């Protein structure tokens, strides 16, 4: 059985703690955070520490930390034979260069603390510095997910920016849609089935094929009437995206 | 039993034809289109016509036509006592003013001919010019959907522009995500679970709460490294949406 220490208590750390609880081959033996308050919820389930000099000897350290403190915390962790992993989409594995055994364990999903997720369907992108470490990392990831992908740091950077488009920017489009509904006393829930179908569609066909709407149809009358309903910031977004869709789809009718 | 004539043979017309086939209370008795070729697939199932002077007497005419020909075709349809409906999100019910009985039957969903949809979950927005017509329209919609909403022409216009944001623009974000993956030899399918979860999340909590990502975190280092990976058009979109997210979320850290 391999022992794990988790660094961090954020959304991902919390979900990893929950999912490895039921693992036979891996056991979380300690959780670290600099802030004692955030450790309270783990206190009766596992050893906790706020001191980087008191990290338990273990086989795997998972640094589920914010990108901007990864380098700093890594520097403060004592030398170790453990396989040290970070979980960031945007940071290269090189940030862990001081460790002999290092890698990346990047689950590509959006996590909220109070929403359960089914880890078995979440793609986990892995990368490690040796074949032996890749093997361990593959076992760690396969223990909780059916979808494990070997992905280089360069490719992961690409995936991360693509994820901003298909998740963060998409969520912002939902936010604008909700705002438009609220401003006009229309329940946003009427749009839920459309949102789900639009997402589901692109898992079955290319989004390039499934584009619809006034921009693709080049329906100027509808586009003008829509712009009249929007505020200045929304108009900017509407105009830019309409133009981009038209550029892409060659102003078909 | 109420008799229906469908005008049009597009995605929506085709889906309506399929779903009312199994109705006990409504029966499609004729399909019209100016183009005989597009009528061929209906030919052995129902009466067809390319001539607006040969429309069968019926209780309900459903004009499932493109917005820009709605007015023209309406003018050419002979006077009738039938309840005449259009299916457009963007056009006012007034386009049907020449008919004594008129209304709107707007299923808020994205339709592709070759993808089955479960109509029972699709919100149908209805509007009619009299209480009696509203009753008939309500029966027509409730026959196929559990979610029927009375929505005025003004509200429907609002819903339509909101739908452009949450569906057409969202699909365009997926398209950019796929392009970024393809350009870097990363399989787009790794992003499918993220796409589905991002959509599913906002049916359970407000998109305002579920926003994540470098823009919301104001993570300038990640934002700069992302911009370097993008082409000029993608950079414009990335910058504008990042700024809008930051404006909305007050540059929280």
């Amino acid at each position: 059985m391999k022992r794990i220490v988790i660094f961090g208590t954020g959304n991902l750390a919390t979900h990893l703690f929950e999912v490895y609880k039921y693992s036979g081959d891996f056991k979380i033996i300690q959780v670290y955070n600099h802030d004692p308050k955030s450790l309270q919820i783990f206190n009766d389930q596992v050893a906790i520490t706020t001191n980087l000099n008191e990290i338990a000897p273990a086989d795997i350290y998972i640094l589920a930390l914010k990108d901007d403190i990864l380098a700093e915390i890594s520097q403060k962790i004592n030398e170790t034979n453990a396989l040290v992993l970070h979980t960031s989409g945007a940071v290269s594995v090189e940030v862990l260069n001081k460790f002999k055994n290092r890698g990346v364990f990047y689950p590509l999903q959006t996590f909220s603390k109070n929403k359960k997720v089914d880890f078995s369907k979440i793609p986990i992108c892995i990368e490690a510095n040796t074949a032996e470490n890749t093997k361990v990392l593959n076992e760690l990831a396969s223990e909780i997910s059916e979808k494990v992908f070997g992905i280089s740091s360069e490719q992961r950077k690409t995936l991360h920016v693509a994820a901003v488009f298909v998740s963060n920017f998409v969520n912002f489009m939902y936010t604008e849609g909700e705002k438009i509904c609220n401003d006009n006393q229309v329940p946003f829930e009427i749009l839920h089935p459309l949102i789900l179908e639009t997402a589901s569609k692109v898992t079955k066909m290319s989004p390039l094929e499934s584009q619809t709407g006034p921009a693709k149809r080049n329906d100027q009358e509808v586009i003008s009437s829509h712009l009249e309903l929007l505020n200045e910031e929304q108009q900017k977004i509407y105009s830019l995206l309409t133009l981009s869709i038209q550029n892409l789809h060659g102003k078909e009718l």
Side-chain angles (χ1 to χ4, degrees), chain A:
Chain A
M1 203 188 54
K2 292 205 160 64
R3 300 154 301 163
I4 303 175
V5 176
I6 291 191
F7 295 69
T9 55
N11 290 338
L12 177 59
T14 309
H15 280 288
L16 288 178
F17 185 81
E18 286 304 314
V19 71
Y20 280 110
K21 254 193 203 166
Y22 306 102
S23 162
D25 296 331
F26 298 90
K27 185 177 167 61
I28 294 171
I29 57 163
Q30 192 182 37
V31 177
Y32 159 85
N33 200 318
H34 72 284
D35 172 21
K37 251 193 265 167
S38 65
L39 285 166
Q40 276 169 13
I41 52 162
F42 301 97
N43 196 17
D44 52 351
Q45 305 180 71
V46 69
I48 55 171
T49 183
T50 58
N51 186 341
L52 286 172
N53 290 315
E54 288 174 2
I55 300 300
D59 303 291
I60 300 170
Y61 289 176
I62 302 180
L63 278 50
L65 301 165
K66 283 197 179 147
D67 292 2
D68 51 357
I69 58 166
L70 255 181
E72 186 197 333
I73 301 282
S74 304
Q75 282 318 310
K76 291 185 184 162
I77 297 174
N78 297 323
E79 268 188 59
T80 172
N81 282 326
L83 173 57
V84 182
L85 309 171
H86 77 63
T87 59
S88 164
V91 179
S92 164
V93 67
E94 290 170 15
V95 73
L96 304 174
N97 271 354
K98 76 171 252 192
F99 302 107
K100 201 169 67 188
N101 301 301
R102 55 190 183 269
V104 179
F105 175 96
Y106 172 47
L108 214 167
Q109 187 52 282
T110 170
F111 296 96
S112 305
K113 263 190 190 155
N114 45 8
K115 187 163 185 305
K116 282 230 167 186
V117 291
D118 176 5
F119 250 100
S120 66
K121 305 294 176 209
I122 296 179
I124 301 183
C125 304
I126 61 168
E127 176 184 15
N129 68 323
T130 67
E132 177 56 30
N133 287 334
T134 303
K135 193 166 157 272
V136 173
L137 194 40
N138 192 39
E139 281 162 15
L140 179 73
S142 302
E143 177 77 9
I144 57 171
S145 170
E146 297 159 8
K147 298 180 173 186
V148 180
F149 295 86
I151 292 285
S152 71
S153 282
E154 269 314 299
Q155 287 179 310
R156 200 174 55 254
K157 231 170 138 180
T158 293
L159 264 177
H160 193 251
V161 64
V164 168
F165 277 87
V166 306
S167 178
N168 303 152
F169 290 168
V170 159
N171 186 76
F172 181 66
M173 296 298 136
Y174 298 154
T175 310
E176 290 295 345
E178 186 184 49
K179 189 173 180 324
I180 293 167
C181 287
N182 290 347
D183 289 349
N184 295 276
Q185 287 84 48
V186 176
F188 180 58
E189 92 175 86
I190 303 189
L191 293 169
H192 287 175
L194 177 65
I195 286 172
L196 295 172
E197 174 68 12
T198 304
S200 156
K201 232 178 176 178
V202 296
T203 66
K204 278 143 205 145
M205 58 172 102
S206 164
L208 201 59
E209 292 168 58
S210 60
Q211 188 67 54
T212 58
K216 187 183 171 193
R217 290 197 309 273
N218 194 23
D219 190 334
Q220 287 302 333
E221 208 172 315
V222 169
I223 291 168
S224 304
S225 78
H226 281 176
L227 285 170
E228 279 171 34
L229 294 170
L230 301 173
N231 69 32
E232 207 181 320
E233 189 167 18
Q234 290 166 337
Q235 284 175 347
K236 263 194 222 165
I237 296 167
Y238 191 102
S239 299
L240 181 62
L241 296 181
T242 294
L243 191 66
S244 298
I245 292 171
Q246 290 178 333
N247 285 342
L248 185 66
H249 289 277
K251 308 202 181 195
E252 316 166 23
L253 274 172

